[in-house]
Amino acid sequence: MKKGCVRSLKFSGKYGIFALFFALCALAGTAFATTGTVVNESIVWNDNGTEAVLSGDHTWDTSDAAKSPVKIDLKGYKLTFGSGSEVISGDGVTVTSTSGDANIGDKANAKIYGAKLIENFKIADPTYLWAIGAKKEAVASASTDLTVKNVKMDDPTGKDWRDKQFKIVGGVLVWNTTAVDLSSATVAVEDSIVGHSVYGGSVILTGTTGVSVDKTLVNINSGAKVVRSVYGGGESRKADTISTVGQSHIIVNKGASIPGTYSIKGNGEDDKLTEKGYVYGGGNAEGGISHVKNAIIEIKGGTVAHVRGGGRIETAASVSSVDVAEIRLIGEEGLKAVSDVKAGGEAATGEATPVGSATIELYDIPKTPVMAGVTIDGSGTEKGTTLKFTRVKADLSALTISSMDILVVDSGSKVTINDLGGAKTIKVTGDFNKMPATNILTIKNAAIAAKVDVIIAADNWKEYKWDNGSLMVMGRDSGVAEPVKPQLPKDTPAEVKPVEAKIYAVAPDATPAEKNNVIRDTSEKLEGISSGDLVVDASGAITVKAETVRNAASSLVAYNETITKVGPLPVFSAEVAKAQTAAVAYKIKGKDLYATDPSKINVIKYLGSGEAARFVYAAAAADFADESYTVMLQGTSTIADSIAADTEYDLVLFIKDGGRFDLDKADAFVADPPAVVQTEKKASGGSSSGCNGGFGALLLLGAAMLPLVYRKKR
């Protein structure tokens, strides 16, 4: 400052003190202007009008509405929308209160456009507030992300919720604004009361055009309460307009509530029954068209009165369509959260627009939940509904299931239901590798189970059995030697035919009565084999009891040997032309053959009545004949010349239809309860009476004498 200027600032005389006061005020005002502008006593905006802080209760006026804020801090005060200025419009707006108990209210149809975070205030009576993810002048292909947190509304006093409304829109609100298509829209609500509904897509209130969002995601989180409905799609209220969503996705989490218990009868009108407590995969149509191509709903917990794969229509002239709906009830909490689930949509008047096709999936339910009756309804589709059980190990016979077309059960399930809900097809999926025989599906009311088709679309399954009351599936490599169709050398005799055998099995944890029934059925097909000879092994396969094999095979071993291990193989049955010889193979690990030399394997045939016989080794294809065996490299036609413990082989058995080893009573079928045993020499020093002339007895006797001759020469 120049010296002259300094000298000119003189504050003398009786008015000097007043001059000083006003000068200081002017300087303070100039300094304040560099950081903010006081619009009035209750709000302070920064220079570029992007941030505002309330310093008292404030009425939002036209000057405020003209700005494009990114943050408004209510600071515990009340924000009232004035006439003609009921709009907050920005891009990524946060409306919050960092302190105190703030309020917004006293105006109908107030809107917050371009909202990013709405939190920490109460909506006062009476207010009709919109929170909209897209900007007022939205940009095509943009994405929105809106979170509503700790926004409260008081329960109406002497009224209902018709006069208290709070709507959340993920997409565009077309209300005298430009309609544009968005790439995605995301909404999350927690610890808040939504006095009306949540829309994932765009809402059309005016205009004559359409609007779309490629993907929507709506998360209803803990503490969120929704008075009316949650829509994966949008809403259209104008004839000839369409709000479209490519893929909608709604997730309702534990602690959320869409209970359907709030009254919305205002002005003596109806109670909006198809809006109360609904989660719709589609959108809402009140005069126009709402369309969702793929609707996904995941219920993980909370409370939801009604779940619908389709959308809602208000009038018969409206259309709310969904091409494909997917509903998932996840975990015990997800199943307990719902009262009724339906594949289709709802209509306030007339009939709901059908869904193209739907899947209702119960997922990851490890135990039987304690729950009230739940209805699962597959109606409302054009192409049918599929009910899926994925990783469900529970008794769900309390469910009421109806209007299903296909029922799908995966390898991780073990589920009991009362009936098939009208399904005519059961489809099995998943991977059964190394799984024992398991009843993956049990029908409690088997008497009403209609004839169904069973489709096995799973990997690594070996056997299945459906008896109209239960579905048992056994996997490959399930801890049991597994029957396979062998590949035979080209010079195999013409009368020898490779076949793949069927084994008899039941779930290892089946009831004793169920096991006894399967054992009885098996013994009736095997001549000479009694039920007492058979047992269910750890994998679920039916085999001859190890002790029965041991006792019967003891007459086949040398006098100085004892059977130390018994490996019963699953009882099998195979179809072959009459009088031909069937070649049946078991895929088996080398260590389970109890020998390193293929010719030294003790393959035993149990004949019943305590008798057994031995399969004879065939070293070449020309030797393949009834009552013989060979060992091949697994899945090939090459005969193995040695056995390695950890390598898999095909143990091939040759049995002639009608021959001594064929225990099936019917022509053109062979059946066999085989086993593999291991023998060892008895400990020296023992004595025994009598002579046991089994296979190899003389050879073993000669071998036993060699050490004596050797010692004598020494």
Side-chain angles (χ1 to χ4, degrees), residues 653-681:
L653 309 182
F654 300 95
I655 301 173
K656 184 176 181 179
D657 177 50
R660 182 171 71 117
F661 277 16
D662 177 18
L663 301 190
D664 193 296
K665 301 170 185 178
D667 288 338
F669 285 89
V670 296
D672 183 26
V676 178
V677 302
Q678 181 184 56
T679 63
E680 291 181 1
K681 290 183 180 181

Side-chain angles (χ1 to χ4, degrees), residues 400-468:
T400 299
I401 303 170
S402 62
S403 302
M404 295 299 165
D405 295 276
I406 300 174
L407 193 148
V408 177
V409 188
D410 86 320
S411 56
S413 292
K414 187 178 179 183
V415 61
T416 298
I417 55 178
N418 189 58
D419 58 67
L420 294 173
K424 298 298 189 293
T425 301
I426 299 175
K427 185 177 181 180
V428 179
T429 62
D431 191 339
F432 287 84
N433 191 40
K434 299 184 184 302
M435 282 185 58
T438 303
N439 285 335
I440 62 172
L441 175 66
T442 300
I443 308 301
K444 204 165 190 177
N445 194 350
I448 64 172
K451 185 181 183 303
V452 298
D453 296 322
V454 177
I455 299 173
I456 308 295
D459 295 325
N460 296 308
W461 66 278
K462 182 58 189 175
E463 300 288 340
Y464 84 89
K465 180 181 179 183
W466 165 250
D467 63 4
N468 242 38

Side-chain angles (χ1 to χ4, degrees), residues 244-256:
T244 301
V245 169
Q247 182 188 81
S248 69
H249 192 173
I250 299 172
I251 302 173
V252 180
N253 289 299
K254 186 176 181 180

